Amino acid sequence: MRWNWIIVGAGSAGSVLAARLSERADSSVVLLEGGPDYSSVSALPPEIRSGLGPAFSHDWGYGSEAGRLGRSVPLPRARLVGGCSATNAALALKARPADFAHWVSSERARWSFEEVQREYRELEADADFDDDWHGRSGPVPIRRFALEEFLPEHRAFYDAAVRRGFAAVADHNDPHAAGVGALPLNVVDGVRQSAALTHLAPARQRSNLTIRPDTLVDRILFAGRRAVAVALAGSAETVEGDAVILAAGAYASPAILMRSGVGPADHLRSLGVGVVEDLPGVGGDLADHPLLGLRYDGPAPADGLPGAQIVLTAASSEAEEELDLQVFPWTPYADAVSPSGGVFTVFVALMRPLSRGRVSLRSPEPEDAPLIDLGYFTDSADMPRMMHGTRLAHTLAGTAPLSSFTSRKLSAAAQPSLTDDELERAILAEVATYHHPVGTCRMGIPGDPGAVVDATGAVLGLEGLFVVDASIMPSVPSVNTNLTTLMLAQRCGRWLAERDRG
Ligand SMILES: Cc1cc2nc3c(=O)[nH]c(=O)nc-3n(C[C@H](O)[C@H](O)[C@H](O)COP(=O)(O)OP(=O)(O)OC[C@H]3O[C@@H](n4cnc5c(N)ncnc54)[C@H](O)[C@@H]3O)c2cc1C
């Protein structure tokens, strides 16, 4: 069997692409996924069905190299059909105009805010707003909690932020919004609306689409400069096709490219991998949002409550007209470190980090996790901004009525009395990932030494090979990345379908 399209990875992007490219009945599509496939809502394990908070049960087991933090940070990545859209926290935020200013300079028209705004509108069915900024009939349902539905800790956070002078925001998906208000969430009746449900479910029955779960892709095979097949791990089987689209995510897509001989030539040679194309940018420019949780001994947790309801967006004093901070509370969860049994957390995230990391290969073996250097705080501009966000969270935590939930501090970074040196040390010791890696196969124009794909996702210098997932974003948006990944896949999927017709 020779397929028209081989898609590697059935995550956020892969699900959108498979649905789009199989719309044409005479186009055959195979979707290869390393994890299991739960093909209906009723078949989903409870934690995958629940949209109350993230799930960590289906995981690739990645961790970072020690780097400046001096320790490995766990980097959960979902391994199942739906990918991270099936395990994430379901915060559904659209990127802002300034985020796209950095996308592919000479081809900006393809990713202008006007164009992507249209694409987001097609993607969403926003139940709360009906205006120029919002779509009402797309596949991804979006809802917000009303003020009167906020749980006590969230309401207290909201009141404290308003008391401190932050604007009350009705809609964080208004591109000009800044302040505190309800989070848009892609959760309906408690069920997380993953791309497996919003995009793949309606396409599953098509006879020209085959989903192959529990199938680990090793590498791409080439005839000359053209990708013609992928080799599967643990067997001699190859899957042949006219085009290969990598949608394996920001850690796995560059790893597959490198195993296939596409990447920095010196690195590949050092591992004994034959070089097909010397692309130094593969694995480079890794950008991710650092996340710090200030933890308090909170009220006892109750089952069945949503973790996230609201967020404050703000600019650090170092930001130049950009909203580079998110601060948000998380409903108390059970944890043995809390004397009362429940931990209440106020999270701080740096949303416009300048630091960059890198993904490289530990070995050419497909079962081996890649080496991931997050690069957190290697740019000297990032620590002062993270400290600003943490001090802002301290201020809110000390403001009534939120202060009634934060009197007993459990983590070092939650102590408001720290000197700058102490706070920096606490941040380095406690910071984690917000799970938004991008940039490891970033798009750019020919001649850009760090570019891996062009503005449509085509790998530079090769034929029949594309990357379409979060890895091709040239910089990390100042919001959570799922909706932008879906938007990007929808847009690239349209161009790929047109190419097919041509
Ligand atoms: C815990 C967590 C919480 C998050 N919360 C949010 C949130 O609330 N809001 C938000 O906007 N974003 C959130 N994100 C981020 C968001 O979900 C991701 O940016 C997005 O899903 C990335 O999509 P992707 O298609 O690039 O990759 P993925 O969705 O990760 O898809 C990659 C797929 O490829 C498969 N794969 C990888 N390697 C291979 C291989 N060798 N062979 C076969 N298959 C392979 C994987 O199993 C996976 O299914 C969160 C992420 C995590 C992990």
Side-chain angles (χ1 to χ4, degrees), residues 9 11-13 33-34 60 78 80 83-84 88-91 217 252 435 470 480-482:
S12 300
E33 165 56 44
W60 285 86
L80 76 166
C84 293
N88 70 17
L91 277 56
V217 171
H435 314 294
N480 313 51
T481 41
N482 190 48

Side-chain angles (χ1 to χ4, degrees), residues 100-113 115-116 445 455 491:
F100 295 97
H102 307 276
W103 288 41
V104 193
S105 48
S106 77
E107 287 210 68
R108 193 169 292 153
R110 282 193 186 267
W111 297 101
S112 69
F113 184 67
E115 291 295 324
V116 301
I445 51 174
R491 194 157 175 70

Side-chain angles (χ1 to χ4, degrees), residues 49-409:
R49 188 168 52 241
S50 167
L52 299 177
F56 301 101
S57 54
H58 293 65
D59 190 29
W60 285 86
Y62 299 159
S64 73
E65 297 306 292
R68 199 177 157 207
L69 306 184
R71 65 195 162 88
S72 178
V73 174
L75 301 172
R77 291 279 102 187
R79 183 172 184 160
L80 76 166
V81 168
C84 293
S85 78
T87 61
N88 70 17
L91 277 56
L93 289 157
K94 298 192 235 179
R96 306 185 171 94
D99 292 321
F100 295 97
H102 307 276
W103 288 41
V104 193
S105 48
S106 77
E107 287 210 68
R108 193 169 292 153
R110 282 193 186 267
W111 297 101
S112 69
F113 184 67
E114 201 179 41
E115 291 295 324
V116 301
Q117 181 58 25
R118 208 186 343 262
E119 208 76 62
Y120 279 126
R121 271 204 311 266
E122 254 181 57
L123 189 63
E124 67 180 345
D126 193 310
D128 302 321
F129 291 91
D130 190 4
D131 56 31
D132 285 353
W133 297 120
H134 300 86
R136 298 285 285 184
S137 54
V140 181
I142 294 181
R143 313 257 186 291
R144 295 158 191 76
F145 286 101
L147 203 59
E148 56 276 13
E149 294 172 304
F150 287 174
L151 297 165
E153 301 81 4
H154 298 257
R155 181 62 205 237
F157 180 95
Y158 178 87
D159 289 341
V162 170
R163 184 166 288 180
R164 285 287 170 182
F166 289 98
V169 166
D171 175 25
H172 277 297
N173 276 338
D174 177 322
H176 308 296
V180 65
L183 271 166
L185 298 165
N186 53 304
V187 179
V188 176
D189 297 332
V191 178
R192 179 190 298 102
Q193 300 297 302
S194 72
L197 297 181
T198 59
H199 285 79
L200 216 43
R204 273 181 182 279
Q205 302 313 324
R206 293 177 191 156
S207 58
N208 60 331
L209 171 62
T210 298
I211 303 171
R212 285 189 59 178
D214 301 311
T215 302
L216 181 65
V217 171
D218 176 0
R219 63 191 197 283
I220 305 149
L221 304 176
F222 295 90
R225 310 197 65 70
R226 172 168 285 278
V228 292
V230 299
L232 304 185
S235 79
E237 188 184 347
T238 61
V239 178
E240 293 173 18
D242 300 332
V244 177
I245 309 173
L246 294 184
Y251 297 135
S253 283
I256 295 171
L257 279 181
M258 287 187 273
R259 288 201 293 270
S260 313
V262 180
D266 291 349
H267 175 54
L268 302 184
R269 285 195 195 102
S270 74
L271 293 165
V273 177
V275 178
V276 175
E277 181 72 7
D278 178 14
L279 276 181
V282 175
D285 288 316
L286 168 63
D288 186 27
H289 297 141
L291 179 76
L292 180 70
L294 309 185
R295 307 201 304 154
Y296 305 90
D297 185 16
D303 286 341
L305 298 177
Q309 291 192 308
I310 65 170
V311 68
L312 167 68
T313 58
S316 71
S317 51
E318 290 78 9
E320 291 167 7
E321 296 171 24
E322 285 187 348
L323 294 172
D324 61 348
L325 297 173
Q326 276 188 9
V327 186
F328 59 98
W330 196 269
T331 303
Y333 55 88
D335 195 313
V337 300
S338 152
S340 69
V343 171
F344 171 56
T345 311
V346 176
F347 283 108
V348 181
L350 180 60
M351 303 306 288
R352 267 245 161 255
L354 299 178
S355 302
R356 294 291 178 267
R358 169 168 281 281
V359 173
S360 46
L361 288 183
R362 191 181 304 273
S363 86
E365 298 306 321
E367 286 83 8
D368 283 352
L371 286 167
I372 302 169
D373 169 11
L374 287 170
Y376 281 179
F377 303 112
T378 49
D379 188 300
S380 59
D382 284 353
M383 183 53 83
R385 298 192 294 150
M386 192 74 191
M387 287 168 69
H388 182 114
T390 311
R391 300 266 189 227
L392 167 59
H394 290 159
T395 302
L396 297 175
T399 303
L402 188 62
S403 49
S404 64
F405 295 97
T406 59
S407 55
R408 295 183 300 279
K409 284 102 185 140

